[in-house]
Every structure is written in C-alpha cells, then in structure tokens.
C-alpha cells in the first residue's frame, strides 16, 4: 500500500511539472515494493525456503539486475534509440524491477518443477520479459507490481495447499460426511458457488461485452485519431478512454456473478455502475481536461466502492481487508487503467471469461458423469 501511494505521488509530481521529483518518487515506490517483496518471500512460516531454492532466487535476481544494467548501458552508450538517455535514478528502479521479477518467478514455480527449470523460467521472467518490456516503454512500476502479485500468488497457493492437506487429514480421521468429501467441499468454496447454465451463459456474455467494449472503443479511437492526424494516442484518453472505461461495468457484474454475490452487491453495483456511466457520459459530451480529471476521480471512487464491496461480500474479507482492496483498486485505476487507456480491462475480462468457461466445462463434466440409464432427469 505504501508503494502504491509513493508511486501515485510520483505520477502527481510529473503531472505538476516536477520531473526530477517524479522520478525519485516513482523509483522510491519500486524500492518500497521490493522491500515488501523481500519480507513476503522471507517470512514464509512452515513453508520456509530451503537453502538451494533461496540461493537460486538470489542468484537469478542478481543476474536479472546485471542484465538490466547491461541493457541500460547499451541504451545510453550504444547507437541512438528513441528511448533516449536513462538516468541513474530511473536505472535503479529498472534494475530492481527486473531482479524482483526473476526472484518472484523462481520462488513461485519452485514446488512444481526441477531446479534447472526454475532457473530457466526465472531468467526468462527477468531478462527475457521484464527488461525487453521496459526497454519498449513499459513502466517499471508495472513490472514491479507484477513481481509483487507473483509473490502474493505464491503465498495464496501455499495457503490453498495447507487447507487441502488439513481437509484431507480431517477426511481420513472422520471419513466423508453424508457422502461429501471435505476436500471437494474445500475446492468448491475456493471456486465459488455452483452456477446453473443460465448464470454461466450470462457470465460469458458479460465478459464478451466487456472485451467488445474495449475493442470497439480502441478501434474507433484509432480510426478517429488517424483521420485527424493525431495517430493512435487519442485512444488513450479523452473520449476513447471514456468509452473503454464502460467495460468496467459488465466486468464488475460478471465478477459478482461468478462469486454468487449478486444479491448482496446489487446496491453497490447500481451505485458504482451509475457513477462510472455518468462519468463516462460527461467525458464523452465535454472532452475537456478539467472534465477528464473530475471524471477519472469519480471513476476511481466507483471502483473503490465496487472492489471493496466485492471483497467483503464476494470473498468474505474483513472490513479492514475490504478497505485495503478498495484503496488498491482506486489507485490501480489511476496507475494502470487510465495510463493504458482502459486496455487492461479487456485483459482482465479475458481472464474472468476463461474462468467462466472453465467452470462451464467442469459442470458439463459432472453432469456427464452423473447421467446414466436410470437417470435421464440429470441430462435434462
């Protein structure tokens, strides 16, 4: 949370015409996030890293950092590049982000592959993906955020395995209750409630709507920009962003539907969706800079309400956890969605739609397994 706040302050300083302070704050946010990632990977409790994977993560992090140093030197001292000169402060952030991506990947895949494969994939993550993306213009903050998310996914995976082990031990001790294996019940709770065919169809339709909204908004924005001689930049802000940001409404409804929390979230969906719609409409009608800032501020508040309510009622988070999710959602809207012109909403919709497809296939598999000569009603 502190890293998000510091990075947001850096973007604000850049908007106010203070590039030096903006660079220091943005790199400071990356360093704070790297410190948090070190704590996240070190304080693993009963899943503590053994010596070999810990050393390998450190080695790959250092290797990725040195690779970033080499790329920065080539960018500054080699042939002319459009990216220009990379300063010392920015270099620190780039190196830290690349090293963090390598270390997080090495730790995440440690339980699933052999040591050599872990080394290879961590090197791919650091030197193969993170550095080229940053050299192509991706913000180092995005790479650092991805590294931290990988660390969070690693911790969530361990907790899931620990709960599955506990459920298996309880099943062995007590046996299945009423023919239901506790492990199956645990996996069912993690996936969310069972949805019928109509609900899954609606979830797929909402995901396709979100993806289509972003695609159409970007296509129109690029076409209008090309016709007016402004290039494709018009899709990243103004009216193009206003249209693309509308994809957040079906995406929020889809997330609530997949978690089976539409009823308790109906009021929050109406409030948040209404704020998003009004803000986008205002920006479409009056594409002015003051209106843009006010619209994005209103959208971030709406996203905070939707994210916090979904965490509280959809995932069972505590009030404090829901507040953290709300703050992170509002900050991510400024840092990720606005800066990419809403394009990341399409990627998020692709992920949630794939999850809906997976649940539909699982449902079909269960129904196919239950169908028998004496049970035609199951097929219906």
């Amino acid at each position: 949370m502190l890293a998000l706040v510091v990075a947001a302050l850096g973007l604000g300083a850049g908007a106010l015409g203070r590039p030096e302070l903006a660079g220091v704050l943005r790199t400071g946010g990356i360093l704070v996030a790297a410190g948090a990632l070190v704590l996240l990977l070190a304080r693993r409790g009963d899943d503590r890293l053994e010596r070999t994977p810990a050393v390998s993560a450190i080695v790959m992090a250092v290797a990725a950092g040195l690779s970033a140093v080499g790329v920065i030197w080539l960018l500054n001292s080699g042939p002319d590049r459009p990216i220009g000169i990379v300063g010392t402060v920015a270099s620190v952030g780039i190196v830290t982000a690349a090293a963090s991506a390598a270390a997080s990947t090495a730790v995440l895949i440690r339980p699933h592959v052999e040591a050599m494969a872990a080394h290879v994939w961590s090197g791919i993550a650091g030197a193969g993906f993170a550095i080229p993306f940053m050299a192509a213009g991706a913000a180092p903050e995005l790479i650092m955020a991805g590294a931290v998310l990988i660390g969070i996914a690693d911790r969530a995976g361990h907790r899931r395995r620990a709960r599955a082990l506990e459920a298996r031990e309880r099943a062995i001790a007590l046996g299945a209750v009423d023919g239901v294996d506790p492990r199956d019940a645990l996996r069912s709770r993690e996936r969310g409630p069972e949805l019928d065919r109509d609900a899954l169809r609606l979830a797929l339709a909402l995901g396709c709507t979100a993806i289509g909204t972003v695609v159409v908004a970007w296509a129109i924005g690029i076409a209008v920009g090309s016709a007016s001689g402004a290039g494709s930049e018009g899709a990243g802000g103004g009216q193009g962003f206003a249209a693309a940001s509308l994809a957040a409404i079906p995406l929020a409804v889809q997330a609530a539907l997949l978690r089976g929390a539409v009823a308790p979230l109906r009021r929050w969906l109406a409030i948040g969706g209404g704020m998003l719609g009004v803000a986008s409409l205002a920006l479409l009608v009056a594409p002015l800079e003051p209106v843009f800032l006010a619209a994005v501020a209103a959208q971030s508040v709406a996203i905070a309400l939707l994210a916090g309510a979904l965490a509280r009622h959809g995932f069972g988070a505590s009030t404090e956890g829901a507040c953290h999710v709300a703050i992170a959602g509002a900050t991510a809207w400024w840092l990720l969605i606005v800066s990419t012109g809403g394009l990341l909403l399409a990627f998020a919709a692709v992920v949630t739609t794939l999850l809906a497809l997976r649940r539909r296939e699982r449902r079909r598999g269960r129904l196919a397994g239950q169908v028998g000569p004496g049970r035609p009603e199951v097929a219906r």
Side-chain angles (χ1 to χ4, degrees):
M1 297 304 298
L2 179 59
L4 286 174
V5 171
V6 174
L9 291 176
L11 293 179
L16 294 176
R18 301 289 299 277
E20 297 83 4
L21 180 60
V24 172
L25 289 174
R26 292 176 64 182
T27 298
I30 293 175
L31 293 177
V32 172
L37 179 62
V38 170
L39 293 177
L40 188 67
L41 299 180
R43 300 173 62 88
R44 296 171 61 90
D46 56 342
D47 194 35
R48 182 178 180 181
L49 286 174
E50 298 177 357
R51 179 180 180 85
T52 299
V55 171
S56 68
I58 294 173
V59 169
M60 294 310 300
V62 173
L66 293 177
S67 300
V69 172
V71 171
I72 293 172
W73 182 85
L74 288 175
L75 291 175
N76 290 338
S77 303
D80 291 337
R81 295 289 191 277
I83 194 173
I85 300 296
V86 180
T88 302
V89 176
S91 300
V92 173
I94 293 173
V95 171
T96 305
S100 300
S104 289
T105 305
V107 172
L108 177 68
I109 65 178
R110 170 190 58 86
H112 309 290
V113 297
E114 297 179 355
M116 179 57 69
H119 293 168
V120 171
W121 279 105
S122 60
I124 291 174
F129 281 106
I131 297 175
F133 277 142
M134 287 186 284
E141 292 90 340
L142 296 179
I143 304 299
M144 192 66 232
V148 174
L149 289 176
I150 290 175
I152 294 174
D154 170 68
R155 293 293 76 224
H158 168 66
R159 291 180 60 186
R160 183 171 59 253
R161 292 190 297 270
R163 289 196 299 268
L165 179 60
E166 181 182 354
R168 182 172 61 183
E169 293 175 350
R170 187 164 58 249
I172 294 174
L174 303 177
V177 180
D178 296 331
V180 178
D181 193 335
R183 289 172 292 179
D184 295 335
L186 176 65
R187 287 190 289 266
S188 178
R189 288 196 300 270
E190 290 177 348
R191 291 193 298 262
E194 295 294 335
L195 300 178
D196 57 20
R197 183 175 58 183
D198 294 336
L200 289 173
R201 284 181 177 178
L202 179 58
L204 293 175
L206 289 169
C208 294
T209 301
I211 298 171
T213 301
V214 177
V215 171
V216 171
W218 269 75
I220 295 176
I222 292 174
V224 172
S226 300
S228 61
S232 62
E233 290 131 3
Q239 293 174 309
F241 170 75
S245 63
L246 290 173
I249 299 176
L251 186 59
V253 178
Q254 183 194 41
L257 183 63
L258 291 176
R259 295 305 302 177
V262 175
L265 288 174
R266 185 174 289 112
R267 179 180 60 181
W268 298 104
L269 290 172
I271 296 174
M275 293 179 64
L276 287 170
V278 171
S280 297
L281 180 61
L283 191 54
L284 286 170
V285 174
L288 304 174
E289 184 174 357
V291 178
F292 178 81
L293 295 176
V296 173
Q299 289 175 342
S300 63
V301 173
I303 292 298
L305 294 176
L306 291 172
L310 182 61
R312 184 74 177 90
H313 299 287
F315 291 88
S318 63
T319 303
E320 181 182 2
C323 291
H324 286 164
V325 172
I327 296 173
T331 308
W333 185 266
W334 282 91
L335 295 179
L336 303 179
I337 305 303
V338 178
S339 61
T340 59
L343 188 61
L344 286 185
L345 291 174
F347 289 95
V350 168
V351 174
T352 55
T353 304
L354 289 176
L355 292 176
L357 282 171
R358 184 181 180 185
R359 292 179 66 171
R360 188 180 70 171
E361 294 303 320
R362 284 178 173 174
R363 180 179 181 275
R364 286 180 175 178
R366 286 194 301 270
L367 292 179
Q370 293 172 356
V371 172
R375 302 190 65 187
E377 72 279 358
V378 179
R380 289 195 300 269

